[in-house]
């Protein structure tokens, strides 16, 4: 299926510190509702726009974090922060008023220091089929007495009124969630403590653990992302840089994605960071190249920043260069939207934008943006994204601005 290059409309979101050559991490978010797009901003603001895009409302209440997760829920918009409170709150869809809020730091602890890595972080928020419950993962990082990494985390099931139906706690770092009618899958990226599974599947009604799985490979890095699929799930493994399809009998297939390869006198690898799966197949998206020794390298892994489509039988159907790092992806049906931020080693501004993939057919649409695109949302007819400004260290020129973009 050919890729269609498209245009976009934009509205300014305000001021924000530009990104640099290296990513600043997630600090913005976006979702789509029946009325238009809703953006979560670095200063804690949540703003809603119609399809023009014209601003409908803006909530600038005194929040203490960046809105890094958004999801339509219960005639409102669920927002999750990275901040001292690790707050989750529900904004009214018509007015933006806060209907209820929950402080995850009461469960996972207050930050040891108020710097980005230590702040309580709402890693993901998804809504069950039918929209009756929202599932949210929050985590907090700290250094132990021996200097090692420690995590405290919780996965929540929220009712529409803000009450907690159940809570699943672990001393591991959740990175993503996936939910269907009766299951919630939790991907744990780092497991340095007693929780030794990179992936658990929970009962959506009760929160009871129904299944756990851990990829082969050593170290405390485990799973980068999870997607539920008929009869099982698909996981992106950070432990051995492969993609896995798991069903009731175990591993159905595994594909090499960012496995270590020799480049000159170095061995380099790339993490598979994202996955989306349906009955038609799966799409994985890989991230940056890293050397096995140190962090700096001039080498490039052949599969870095690549979308890889896999058939239901485990055959590679397509591989397409994304162009840069993706902080997150957005899904709807068989469609996957990949926001593209900087390639921090090569710093080529022409790569900034959004790519859309069909699980079975590959890339279908592509957009460019002056700044880096750090968040996206997609449905059957619409794609939107948040553009952030970037200033690369080698030329000092600021590219782009803080904007919501609607892609046509």
């Amino acid at each position: 299926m050919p890729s269609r290059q498209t245009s976009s409309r934009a509205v300014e979101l305000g001021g924000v510190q530009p990104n640099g050559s290296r990513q600043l991490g997630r600090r913005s978010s976006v979702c789509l509702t029946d009325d238009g797009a809703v953006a979560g901003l670095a200063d804690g603001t949540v703003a809603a726009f119609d399809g023009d895009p014209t601003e409908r409302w803006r909530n600038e209440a005194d929040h203490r974090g960046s809105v890094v997760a958004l999801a339509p829920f219960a005639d409102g918009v669920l927002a999750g922060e990275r901040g001292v409170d690790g707050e989750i709150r529900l904004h009214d869809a018509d007015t933006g008023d806060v209907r209820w809020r929950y402080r995850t730091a009461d469960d996972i602890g207050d930050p040891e220091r108020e710097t980005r890595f230590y702040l309580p972080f709402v890693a993901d928020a998804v809504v069950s089929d039918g929209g009756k419950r929202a599932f949210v993962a929050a985590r907090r990082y700290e250094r132990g007495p021996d200097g090692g990494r420690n995590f405290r985390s919780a996965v929540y099931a929220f009712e529409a009124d803000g009450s907690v139906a159940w809570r699943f706690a672990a001393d591991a770092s959740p990175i993503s969630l996936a939910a269907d009618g009766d299951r919630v899958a939790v991907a744990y990226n780092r497991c340095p403590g007693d929780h030794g599974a990179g992936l658990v599947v929970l009962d959506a009604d009760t929160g009871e653990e129904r299944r756990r799985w851990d990829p082969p490979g050593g170290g405390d890095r485990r799973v980068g992302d999870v997607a539920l699929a008929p009869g099982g799930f698909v996981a992106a493994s950070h432990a051995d840089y492969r993609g896995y399809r798991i069903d009731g009998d175990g591993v159905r297939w595994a594909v090499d994605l960012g496995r270590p390869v020799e480049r000159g006198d170095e061995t380099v690898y790339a993490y598979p960071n994202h996955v989306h799966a349906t009955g038609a197949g799966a799409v994985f998206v890989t991230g940056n190249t890293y050397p096995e020794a140190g962090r700096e390298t001039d080498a490039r892994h052949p599969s870095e920043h690549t979308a890889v489509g896999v058939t239901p039988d485990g055959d590679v159907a397509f591989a397409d260069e994304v162009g840069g790092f993706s902080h997150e992806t957005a899904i709807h049906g068989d469609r996957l939207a990949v926001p593209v931020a900087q390639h921090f080693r090569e710093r080529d501004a022409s790569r900034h934008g959004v790519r859309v993939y069909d699980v079975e057919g590959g890339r279908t649409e592509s957009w460019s943006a002056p700044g880096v695109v750090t968040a996206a949302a997609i449905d059957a007819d619409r794609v939107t994204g948040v553009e952030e400004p970037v200033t690369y260290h080698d030329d000092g020129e600021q590219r782009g601005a803080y904007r919501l973009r609607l892609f046509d």
Side-chain angles (χ1 to χ4, degrees):
M1 186 180 296
S3 174
R4 182 170 66 96
Q5 185 75 29
T6 59
S7 62
S8 63
R9 293 162 288 139
V11 61
E12 301 292 323
L13 293 174
V16 71
Q17 176 189 354
N19 288 270
S21 297
R22 295 189 181 276
Q23 290 90 13
L24 284 176
R26 284 167 50 190
R27 55 178 181 168
S28 305
S29 52
V30 66
C31 72
L32 287 164
T33 69
D34 291 341
D35 296 316
V38 180
L41 308 187
D43 65 356
T45 295
V46 177
F49 303 85
D50 63 19
D52 289 338
T54 300
E55 188 172 306
R56 297 176 51 240
W57 53 257
R58 176 177 290 249
N59 186 298
E60 296 178 319
D62 185 20
H63 308 304
R64 297 195 293 169
S66 300
V67 179
V68 292
L70 285 174
F73 177 56
D75 297 321
V77 178
L78 193 70
E81 286 191 347
R82 174 178 236 155
V84 292
D85 299 312
E87 186 173 85
I88 301 162
R89 58 182 182 269
L90 186 70
H91 291 266
D92 186 276
D94 293 324
T95 66
D97 294 341
V98 176
R99 299 198 331 224
W100 56 258
R101 63 181 75 229
Y102 187 93
R103 187 177 186 271
T104 67
D106 290 337
D107 302 314
I108 62 176
D110 294 318
E112 289 185 331
R113 62 188 73 170
E114 293 187 18
T115 56
R116 185 173 69 88
F117 284 114
Y118 288 85
L119 293 173
F121 178 42
V122 176
D124 203 3
V126 299
V127 177
S128 63
D129 287 353
K132 293 182 179 180
R133 277 185 176 169
F135 305 103
V136 179
R139 69 178 189 246
R140 183 177 66 84
Y141 159 83
E142 64 185 8
R143 286 286 186 183
D146 61 353
R149 295 174 182 267
N150 292 328
F151 294 94
R152 292 178 60 186
S153 67
V155 176
Y156 303 87
F158 284 99
E159 306 285 12
D161 63 1
S163 59
V164 177
W166 52 257
R167 182 186 299 104
F168 183 87
D171 61 349
S173 176
I175 195 168
S176 69
L177 300 173
D180 59 15
D182 63 351
R183 299 177 296 168
V184 181
V186 188
Y188 290 93
N189 182 240
R190 288 182 179 270
C191 300
D194 293 333
H195 177 94
L199 197 148
V200 296
V201 179
L202 308 175
D203 186 282
D205 290 329
T206 66
E208 294 180 359
E209 187 175 314
R210 292 169 54 170
R211 184 169 187 176
R212 62 171 45 205
W213 178 79
D214 201 44
D220 67 2
R221 285 193 181 271
R222 309 315 298 159
V223 172
D225 196 10
V226 62
L228 290 168
F233 55 86
V234 181
S237 168
H238 277 198
D240 65 353
Y241 319 102
R242 291 186 171 103
Y244 285 89
R245 173 68 161 91
I246 313 297
D247 61 17
D249 297 323
V251 176
R252 180 189 296 181
W253 50 252
V255 293
D256 291 350
L257 296 169
R259 295 284 295 165
V261 296
E262 300 294 330
R263 285 293 181 267
D265 59 355
E266 289 188 291
T267 300
V268 296
Y269 62 90
Y271 288 120
N273 288 332
H274 308 289
V275 65
H276 177 45
T278 70
V283 180
F284 297 89
V285 181
T286 60
N288 299 322
T289 294
Y290 290 106
E292 285 195 335
R295 302 296 282 176
E296 300 299 327
T297 181
D298 291 327
R300 300 290 178 266
H301 192 281
S303 296
E304 77 162 6
H305 303 147
T306 299
V308 180
V310 184
T311 70
D313 294 327
D315 298 321
V316 174
F318 64 85
D320 181 73
E321 183 179 349
V322 170
F325 185 79
S326 177
H327 292 268
E328 60 179 42
T329 57
I331 61 174
H332 179 83
D334 285 338
R335 303 217 298 163
L336 172 73
V338 181
V340 182
Q342 60 268 59
H343 187 307
F344 76 88
R345 299 192 195 280
E346 297 183 5
R347 300 177 294 282
D348 181 353
S350 68
R351 303 183 185 192
H352 308 161
V354 176
R355 321 284 182 253
V356 174
Y357 294 91
D358 177 83
V359 168
E360 196 170 10
R363 190 196 291 197
T364 60
E365 295 159 299
S366 179
W367 296 268
S368 296
V372 294
V373 182
T374 59
I378 189 171
D379 64 13
D381 304 306
R382 300 173 294 173
V383 179
T384 186
V386 174
E387 175 194 344
E388 297 184 11
V390 62
T391 302
Y392 289 124
H393 74 271
D394 46 4
D395 65 12
E397 175 187 351
Q398 180 173 314
R399 295 173 172 85
Y402 207 18
R403 301 183 181 112
L404 175 75
R405 286 194 172 271
L406 305 180
F407 298 106
D408 302 309

